[in-house]
Amino acid sequence: MTHPLRQVVAFGIVIALLLAAALVIMLWNDRDSRLQAAQRQSMALATGSDRLLRAELTTMERALRGAARDGREYYRQVPEQAPALLAASLRGTLERNTDLAAITLVDDTGTPLSEGRGDPTLARWTVPRNRVLAGELYVGGLEAQAGGGMVLVTAVPVQPGQWLLARVRLAVFQRVVSGLDTGRRGVVSIGSRHGQLLAHSLDPSAVERTLPRPMHVPRQADTVQALGVATSPMDGVRRVVAVSAPRDYPLILFAGLSYDEVMAPWRTYFYVATGIYLLYLCGFAYLYGSMRRSASRQARLAEELRTGAAELALAHQVGKVGTWSIDRKGESVRWSALTRRMFSLPARQARLEEFYAHVHEEDRPWLRQQVEQATKAGRALNALFRLVLHDGTVRWLSARGERVHGLGPQPRMTGAVTDITERVRNEARVQRAEHQFRLVFDRNPAPFWIFDLATLQFLEVNQAAIDQYGYSREEFLSMTILDIRPREGWEEIQRTLEESRDGRMPAPQVRMHRRRDGTVFEALGHLARLEFDGRPACLVLAEDVSQRLAYERDLAWRASHHPGTGLLTIEALAERLDAGAAGYTIVHAQLRGLQMVADTLGREAGDEVLQAMVARLATLGMRYGLLAYQPAEDFVLAVAGGHDPQQALEALREAVSEPVRGRDSFHQLEPRIGMAACPGDGERADLVLGRAAQAAHAARENGVVVLRFDHALAQRHADRLQLAGRIHLAIERDEFELYFQPIRHAADGSPAVLEALLRWPQPDGSFVPPSDFIQLCEDTGQIIALGRWVIRAAAHAARALADAGWDELPVAVNVSAVQLFNSDLVGEFAAASAAFGLPSGALQMELTESSLMRNPVQAMQMLESLSASGIAVALDDFGTGFSSMSYLQHLPLDSLKIDRAFVADVERNPRNAAICRALLSLGHSMGLVVIAEGVETEGQLDWLVAHGCDQVQGYLLGRPMPLRELLALLALARDSG
């Protein structure tokens, strides 16, 4: 092996090893990434299915708990009729919940106490580890139905010694695993901790068959577990598996993607990589063989090169092209090997007439004449003709020759031939292109022209430009491009031309152009450099974009400005702040009452007040930075870094605090201002703007005018949002409870009314204080749903009181202003009373005087409707608000409640005693029952009794307690009395 071949072999082996290593690494990384992606997808499937399963279990538990709760009430209230009522309730539950196959009342041993089958194994599986979601639902094992199919046995306690045994159809679990994107052989299944299969997405009928191997029960964990690649015990398919085995319910959820489906693309990748490697080896082998063959051919080629050296030298002499020669007699023609290969001629020599037979018939007579004249007269031959090859293709040839001496006793004709087919075709294409360009240029609807780069003189112009600019063609060709541009644009033209002389054509730009009549318009110029009549020139397309740009500018303005005020939007303000220098202060001003003007006096009056405020604040925006408006009551001032934020704040406070003049009146707006700064309170503008808005909301809640943002404020808002979410779930899960505090007659201490007080117990036995969530419910609107629940729960308690013999003892419910003005209280009280069969007057309502004063006219209409429906109304916390006596004297009230702040130390504090006497006198003069709250000492009680107070309430007379404890206390008082 020669030295070059050894180098090629060594280099080829090194490349082969490197290529093999690279392919192995890529294949391994690709396999690992695909398995990881499949594992993440299986975990996502397990997580999503776990959420659906929890929702189904919660729905099932809620239905069974409702039936159990009804059963407890039946056995407590009407024991004799309880079995029949419970049976009817269970039938209704089965009708509403098609997923339940049967519900049976059983005792602790599983013996049925109603229609249906029991379960003697009940005691073995109603244990804490089989409890669902820390609720009251317990899950047992699978059971075969008489008519075929399997059901899951579950139980819910009714009362000590009684259980509701429910048999759940497995369709509820099959729904959870159905319809998921698991591929063709992927699977999601649900099993129990006993190793039983409850649902299978790939084969729903698998739950009725015995598995060839028992299910693997994984360890419990709070999160979804990744098991990697595992083989299914049912069908032996390898899958990438994730499992959810939560601690809070006794079911296990498997999710797996087929390993073969996941790795199918990788196998294709593997085959391609293997093919590439084999292709490289084959190519290398072919290269090696070719080089060996080339070495053996070199010797033969050397001899041929020596033989054709003379011919090649002659070819180089006359033009480095193919050569030809005609013998002395002019009968045959001979050409070189290069000429033969160029035109695929059968031999290196032929008769002259045979050669003419291949010449195009149109060129043949002329070429024969030229050759004869050159041969006989000794002139040089210069012929251009077409040659038809054996395959029918036509080639254009240029043949040149002359008589040459020294190659024999007589001179002969010899010369060179050149294939000029491409040159001829190119010339034809150029001619066609010029013709087409002329058509496109002249008839194009867009204005075109060509001008000289040196003199700026117009060289050509089309009809569209003539129509657009108003000049004739002759006028155009006598002008320069400066004549169609305003004078202020001439310097820009010179800069553009200097750039174009360097070979750089500027990007299309919008420039001002001028017509013959002097009008100007915006034109988008597209430039291209070219040669025109041998001179460097420039082709220009001038597109009139005046209307389009005007429309785009209008759209851009509307996208960044509020149309009614012309001020920036909050989004546009954030973009400008982020694009500018850091270091600014945001002042967010909420002007309460601005929207009320429009709502009360009409939109025109509201717009006048708004425009007056905009005119007042616009000067602040120009003086200190930027001003934005956020409908319907918020203005945002961005104070630039070079200005004093405190000075800007004072100017803003002064501007918004001054009354605003409307059409016929002045309007005093109530400002609430929040402040935040960049970068102290955030790097991004949207974050700083949001935090300033948070501070403004907090200022409104705290009753102050200005409040600066701090992180404790943000944490409080975050806590409020989290608590709002918990409240929503608590309402859905029925976590709230009602406690009841008696209001007693002051004279004899007998109970007069029970006030329902809302409590929110927690799993650890503590309670969330009402002050932490009641106001939040009002702010978020959840007080409507919560108040509806309280009214229904109070009606249920009133029904229990009536069944216990206290049918004359009403229950009072506290109602917020949001409920009063935004819900159908009359309808809700009527519906609750009808649902529990309560007589008129069984439910009462308590309102604070501050809530009434928000909208006295609407409040009076609502209270009149409640009074007409037989619902007594008590005015709570009387004396702490700013009530108008002109409204109070007309309100259909039944009682007044003196606030506990006035009752405290009433027997020792002359001021409180005077207030209480005045309130007692006022209430009695209006014919109302007067109730004193917060009675905690005997001295307070004695003073109130002595001064004619009608009813009293406080810890001295009874603390808030659950209904069952209160019923026991009332029964004890009745028995002792």
CSV table of all heavy atoms in Angstrom, one decimal, residues 219-245:
chain,number,residue,atom,x,y,z
A,219,ARG,N,-46.3,1.5,48.2
A,219,ARG,CA,-46.3,2.2,49.4
A,219,ARG,C,-47.1,3.5,49.3
A,219,ARG,O,-47.1,4.1,48.2
A,219,ARG,CB,-44.9,2.6,49.9
A,219,ARG,CG,-44.1,3.4,49.0
A,219,ARG,CD,-42.7,3.7,49.5
A,219,ARG,NE,-41.9,4.5,48.6
A,219,ARG,CZ,-42.0,5.8,48.5
A,219,ARG,NH1,-42.8,6.5,49.3
A,219,ARG,NH2,-41.3,6.5,47.6
A,220,GLN,N,-47.7,4.0,50.3
A,220,GLN,CA,-48.5,5.2,50.3
A,220,GLN,C,-47.6,6.4,50.3
A,220,GLN,O,-46.5,6.4,50.9
A,220,GLN,CB,-49.4,5.3,51.5
A,220,GLN,CG,-50.5,4.2,51.5
A,220,GLN,CD,-51.3,4.3,52.8
A,220,GLN,OE1,-51.1,5.1,53.6
A,220,GLN,NE2,-52.3,3.4,52.9
A,221,ALA,N,-48.0,7.4,49.6
A,221,ALA,CA,-47.2,8.7,49.5
A,221,ALA,C,-48.2,9.8,49.1
A,221,ALA,O,-49.2,9.6,48.6
A,221,ALA,CB,-46.1,8.6,48.4
A,222,ASP,N,-47.8,11.0,49.5
A,222,ASP,CA,-48.6,12.2,49.2
A,222,ASP,C,-48.5,12.7,47.8
A,222,ASP,O,-49.3,13.5,47.4
A,222,ASP,CB,-48.2,13.3,50.2
A,222,ASP,CG,-48.6,13.0,51.6
A,222,ASP,OD1,-49.5,12.2,51.9
A,222,ASP,OD2,-47.9,13.5,52.5
A,223,THR,N,-47.5,12.2,47.1
A,223,THR,CA,-47.4,12.6,45.7
A,223,THR,C,-47.3,11.5,44.8
A,223,THR,O,-47.2,10.3,45.2
A,223,THR,CB,-46.0,13.4,45.5
A,223,THR,OG1,-44.9,12.6,45.9
A,223,THR,CG2,-46.0,14.7,46.4
A,224,VAL,N,-47.5,11.7,43.5
A,224,VAL,CA,-47.5,10.7,42.5
A,224,VAL,C,-46.0,10.1,42.4
A,224,VAL,O,-45.1,10.9,42.4
A,224,VAL,CB,-47.9,11.2,41.1
A,224,VAL,CG1,-47.8,10.2,40.0
A,224,VAL,CG2,-49.3,11.7,41.2
A,225,GLN,N,-45.9,8.8,42.3
A,225,GLN,CA,-44.7,8.1,42.3
A,225,GLN,C,-44.3,7.6,40.9
A,225,GLN,O,-45.2,7.1,40.2
A,225,GLN,CB,-44.7,6.9,43.2
A,225,GLN,CG,-45.1,7.2,44.7
A,225,GLN,CD,-45.3,6.0,45.5
A,225,GLN,OE1,-44.5,5.1,45.6
A,225,GLN,NE2,-46.5,5.9,46.2
A,226,ALA,N,-43.1,7.8,40.5
A,226,ALA,CA,-42.6,7.3,39.2
A,226,ALA,C,-42.0,6.0,39.4
A,226,ALA,O,-41.0,5.8,40.2
A,226,ALA,CB,-41.6,8.3,38.6
A,227,LEU,N,-42.5,4.9,38.7
A,227,LEU,CA,-42.0,3.6,38.8
A,227,LEU,C,-41.1,3.1,37.7
A,227,LEU,O,-40.7,2.0,37.6
A,227,LEU,CB,-43.2,2.6,38.9
A,227,LEU,CG,-44.2,2.8,40.1
A,227,LEU,CD1,-45.2,1.8,40.1
A,227,LEU,CD2,-43.4,2.9,41.4
A,228,GLY,N,-40.9,4.0,36.7
A,228,GLY,CA,-40.1,3.6,35.5
A,228,GLY,C,-40.8,2.6,34.6
A,228,GLY,O,-42.0,2.6,34.5
A,229,VAL,N,-40.0,1.7,34.0
A,229,VAL,CA,-40.5,0.7,33.1
A,229,VAL,C,-40.9,-0.5,33.9
A,229,VAL,O,-40.0,-1.1,34.6
A,229,VAL,CB,-39.5,0.4,32.0
A,229,VAL,CG1,-40.0,-0.6,31.1
A,229,VAL,CG2,-39.1,1.7,31.3
A,230,ALA,N,-42.1,-0.9,33.8
A,230,ALA,CA,-42.6,-2.1,34.5
A,230,ALA,C,-43.4,-2.9,33.5
A,230,ALA,O,-44.0,-2.4,32.6
A,230,ALA,CB,-43.3,-1.7,35.7
A,231,THR,N,-43.6,-4.2,33.8
A,231,THR,CA,-44.4,-5.1,33.0
A,231,THR,C,-45.7,-5.3,33.6
A,231,THR,O,-45.8,-5.6,34.8
A,231,THR,CB,-43.7,-6.5,32.9
A,231,THR,OG1,-42.4,-6.3,32.3
A,231,THR,CG2,-44.5,-7.4,32.0
A,232,SER,N,-46.8,-5.1,32.9
A,232,SER,CA,-48.2,-5.2,33.4
A,232,SER,C,-48.5,-6.7,33.7
A,232,SER,O,-48.2,-7.6,33.0
A,232,SER,CB,-49.2,-4.7,32.4
A,232,SER,OG,-50.5,-5.0,32.8
A,233,PRO,N,-49.1,-6.9,34.9
A,233,PRO,CA,-49.4,-8.3,35.3
A,233,PRO,C,-50.6,-8.8,34.5
A,233,PRO,O,-50.9,-10.0,34.5
A,233,PRO,CB,-49.8,-8.1,36.8
A,233,PRO,CG,-50.2,-6.7,36.9
A,233,PRO,CD,-49.4,-6.0,36.0
A,234,MET,N,-51.4,-7.9,33.8
A,234,MET,CA,-52.5,-8.4,33.1
A,234,MET,C,-52.2,-8.9,31.7
A,234,MET,O,-52.6,-10.0,31.3
A,234,MET,CB,-53.6,-7.2,33.0
A,234,MET,CG,-54.8,-7.6,32.2
A,234,MET,SD,-55.9,-6.2,32.0
A,234,MET,CE,-56.3,-5.9,33.7
A,235,ASP,N,-51.5,-8.0,30.9
A,235,ASP,CA,-51.2,-8.4,29.5
A,235,ASP,C,-49.8,-8.5,29.2
A,235,ASP,O,-49.4,-8.8,28.0
A,235,ASP,CB,-51.9,-7.3,28.6
A,235,ASP,CG,-51.4,-5.9,29.0
A,235,ASP,OD1,-50.5,-5.8,29.8
A,235,ASP,OD2,-52.0,-5.0,28.4
A,236,GLY,N,-48.9,-8.4,30.2
A,236,GLY,CA,-47.5,-8.6,29.9
A,236,GLY,C,-46.8,-7.5,29.1
A,236,GLY,O,-45.7,-7.7,28.7
A,237,VAL,N,-47.5,-6.4,28.9
A,237,VAL,CA,-46.9,-5.3,28.1
A,237,VAL,C,-46.0,-4.4,29.0
A,237,VAL,O,-46.4,-4.1,30.2
A,237,VAL,CB,-48.1,-4.4,27.5
A,237,VAL,CG1,-47.5,-3.2,26.8
A,237,VAL,CG2,-48.9,-5.3,26.6
A,238,ARG,N,-44.9,-4.1,28.5
A,238,ARG,CA,-43.9,-3.2,29.2
A,238,ARG,C,-44.4,-1.8,29.1
A,238,ARG,O,-44.7,-1.3,28.0
A,238,ARG,CB,-42.5,-3.3,28.7
A,238,ARG,CG,-41.9,-4.7,28.9
A,238,ARG,CD,-40.5,-4.8,28.4
A,238,ARG,NE,-39.6,-3.9,29.1
A,238,ARG,CZ,-38.5,-3.5,28.7
A,238,ARG,NH1,-38.1,-3.8,27.5
A,238,ARG,NH2,-37.7,-2.8,29.5
A,239,ARG,N,-44.5,-1.0,30.2
A,239,ARG,CA,-45.0,0.4,30.2
A,239,ARG,C,-44.1,1.2,31.1
A,239,ARG,O,-43.5,0.7,32.0
A,239,ARG,CB,-46.5,0.4,30.6
A,239,ARG,CG,-47.4,-0.3,29.6
A,239,ARG,CD,-48.9,0.0,30.1
A,239,ARG,NE,-49.8,-0.6,29.1
A,239,ARG,CZ,-50.3,-1.8,29.2
A,239,ARG,NH1,-50.0,-2.6,30.1
A,239,ARG,NH2,-51.2,-2.2,28.2
A,240,VAL,N,-44.2,2.5,30.8
A,240,VAL,CA,-43.5,3.5,31.6
A,240,VAL,C,-44.6,4.0,32.6
A,240,VAL,O,-45.6,4.6,32.2
A,240,VAL,CB,-43.0,4.7,30.8
A,240,VAL,CG1,-42.3,5.7,31.8
A,240,VAL,CG2,-42.1,4.3,29.8
A,241,VAL,N,-44.5,3.6,33.9
A,241,VAL,CA,-45.6,3.7,34.8
A,241,VAL,C,-45.4,4.7,35.9
A,241,VAL,O,-44.2,5.0,36.3
A,241,VAL,CB,-45.7,2.3,35.5
A,241,VAL,CG1,-46.9,2.3,36.5
A,241,VAL,CG2,-45.9,1.2,34.5
A,242,ALA,N,-46.5,5.4,36.3
A,242,ALA,CA,-46.6,6.3,37.4
A,242,ALA,C,-47.8,5.8,38.3
A,242,ALA,O,-48.8,5.3,37.7
A,242,ALA,CB,-46.7,7.7,37.0
A,243,VAL,N,-47.7,6.0,39.6
A,243,VAL,CA,-48.7,5.5,40.5
A,243,VAL,C,-49.0,6.5,41.5
A,243,VAL,O,-48.2,7.2,42.0
A,243,VAL,CB,-48.3,4.1,41.1
A,243,VAL,CG1,-47.1,4.3,42.0
A,243,VAL,CG2,-49.4,3.6,41.9
A,244,SER,N,-50.3,6.6,41.8
A,244,SER,CA,-50.8,7.5,42.9
A,244,SER,C,-51.4,6.6,44.0
A,244,SER,O,-52.4,6.0,43.7
A,244,SER,CB,-51.8,8.5,42.4
A,244,SER,OG,-52.4,9.2,43.4
A,245,ALA,N,-50.7,6.6,45.1
A,245,ALA,CA,-51.2,5.8,46.2
A,245,ALA,C,-51.3,6.7,47.4
A,245,ALA,O,-50.5,6.7,48.3
A,245,ALA,CB,-50.3,4.6,46.6
